[in-house]
Amino acid sequence: MADGSNTTTTGARRTGPAPRADRPSRSFGEPWLTAVAATFTLAQLVLVGPGLGLGWDETVYVSQVSGHTPAAFFSAPRARGVPLLVAPVTSWSDSTALLRVYLAVLSGLALYFALRVWRAHFMPPVLALAGALFASLWVTVFYGPQAMPNYWVAVGALACVGCFLRARANARDRAAWWGLFAGAALMALMRPMDAIYVVLPLLALSTRRPRLLFVLVAGLLAGAGEWVIEAYASYGGLAQRLLDASRIQGGLGWHLAVVDQLRSLGGRTLCRPCTGSVPSPVVTLWWFALPLLAALGAVAAVRARRALPVLLPGACAVTAAVPYLFLIGYAAPRFLLPAYALLALPVAHGLVHLVTAPARGRARTLAVSLVVAGLAGHLAVQYVVLERTVRSSAATHAGWSRTAAALHTLGVRSPCLLSGYEAVPIAFYTGCGSAQTAGHDASATAAELTRAAHRTPFAVLTPPGGHPPAYARGWPMRRVGVLRAYVPPPVRQGP
């Protein structure tokens, strides 16, 4: 196989940059990667759209740096990477459309540079296919323009592993060393624990290479440093913050969440509690095909004697997925974005091997036809699920907006405070702060909220049929959209 067609397709004998004499022209692969990144950006703007309102978690992140809304409670698992990412826009503008465009363009650029790192290991068509496979997933297109951390962990992982391989092969590749540091730092800045799981195979390979180990750990510390400092400043120490984060996530331990992840593939952005049926096999087929095609790519790479560039991203994908498949009791499709990004490389390698391996005419024609048909069906399924997810999310956000408008008519306007059912996102849409006395976002006592009700516009929200807390039971009730609002009498009279 070392001298077969697969060798020329994927650069079989190279595990690092080739000597300058036989290195392909740097410009040769640029149009492929540029096309993938540009199409990905355009897909976000067209299929998701700049008009999609902010989701629950987005309102928490954006409120931290917004000049127009009080900061929401920042729970223990969250990190400050996303607020830093969106600050250039949200610190001076409250335009959601502008934020979406900014993030779509930025995510496209990030994908381009993360793929570019791998040019020493894969020929442009293979690399472009890997990028297209990842960028065409509905979950990637949906979360690319969102103020959420998971996509950025994914591109950070892609860049980090690629730069690790380059630095390991060529110690004089300064760009690779900086890329290794930056990729690890980006992951840790966005989600510190996810970064640890991603780099476990890299740490194992670095035990006898002190410089690689040092740069990798330095990147992790640089990214997670603020999270650790904040743990001691605001959460009672690092151990306590980790305990609180585990509690909020349902208690980390043995939880078989594989079926939960399957249930979420139909477009459920959060599956907690994760009940209901698994989507149609047409929707979930790609998920089962993913490890099989990655295994095919790994076998082809081993036979071609260039296993590491294919096996290492696959190993990092496995360690990145483990906590979300086996250690938490709920699911969200975005959790597996880093695994999908890394698996795209061995999958693309496997698909190209299928259509380029030596075979007779009919066999090759059949292989090409199956791959083309499979990719076309895959795109169709992803588009249908994406459209359904965008429509459902838009309806939820519109409901929050209507509730905010109804609260305004009751006199609950900025500066104001909300508590109760879905208070966090509705407070953002209303321009209020939010506070809870129980649950994951508990940040105040009932006595503190009672006092706040006497000096600021205040409302307690409940779902239909719900009951207000004891301190608000004597307050007048008003309907705000489908919810109920309990508003203290002095605040009820609006202008």
Side-chain angles (χ1 to χ4, degrees), residues 6-18 23-24 114-124 126-127 158-170 173 176 301 306-310 312-313 345 349:
N6 192 54
T7 301
T8 57
T9 302
T10 58
R13 293 185 179 178
R14 295 207 310 265
T15 57
R23 182 184 300 172
L115 291 171
R116 200 168 180 265
V117 164
W118 290 86
R119 291 177 305 163
H121 305 292
F122 296 96
M123 292 296 284
V126 180
L127 197 52
L158 202 57
C160 182
V161 178
C163 287
F164 178 90
L165 285 169
R166 283 176 48 177
R168 188 175 185 271
N170 182 5
D173 188 347
R306 59 177 312 274
L308 193 59
V310 175
L312 187 58
L345 292 165
H349 188 86

Side-chain angles (χ1 to χ4, degrees), residues 40 44 134-145 151 337 340:
F40 175 54
Q44 295 174 65
F134 174 62
S136 64
L137 294 176
W138 75 262
V139 64
T140 309
V141 179
F142 185 71
Y143 283 104
Y151 173 81
L337 274 171
Y340 297 150

Side-chain angles (χ1 to χ4, degrees), residues 2 28 34 49 55 95 123 170 202 252 280 284 293 351 365 381 410 416 445 457 486 491:
F28 175 70
T34 301
S95 171
M123 292 296 284
N170 182 5
L202 307 187
L252 296 181
S280 162
T284 60
L293 290 171
L351 287 174
T365 300
V381 168
L410 297 177
C416 49
T445 65
Y486 292 82
V491 181

Side-chain angles (χ1 to χ4, degrees), residues 18 115 120 153 183 217 254 311 321:
L115 291 171
V153 176
V217 172
W254 176 252
L311 293 182

Side-chain angles (χ1 to χ4, degrees), residues 358-407:
R360 294 182 178 180
R362 289 185 178 180
R364 173 164 293 182
T365 300
L366 179 61
V368 172
S369 299
L370 288 175
V371 169
V372 171
L375 291 176
H378 169 75
L379 287 174
V381 168
Q382 297 303 311
Y383 171 79
V384 170
V385 176
L386 176 63
E387 191 275 335
R388 181 191 308 158
T389 306
V390 171
R391 186 174 65 250
S392 173
S393 299
T396 300
H397 304 163
W400 292 339
S401 184
R402 287 192 296 270
T403 300
L407 287 168

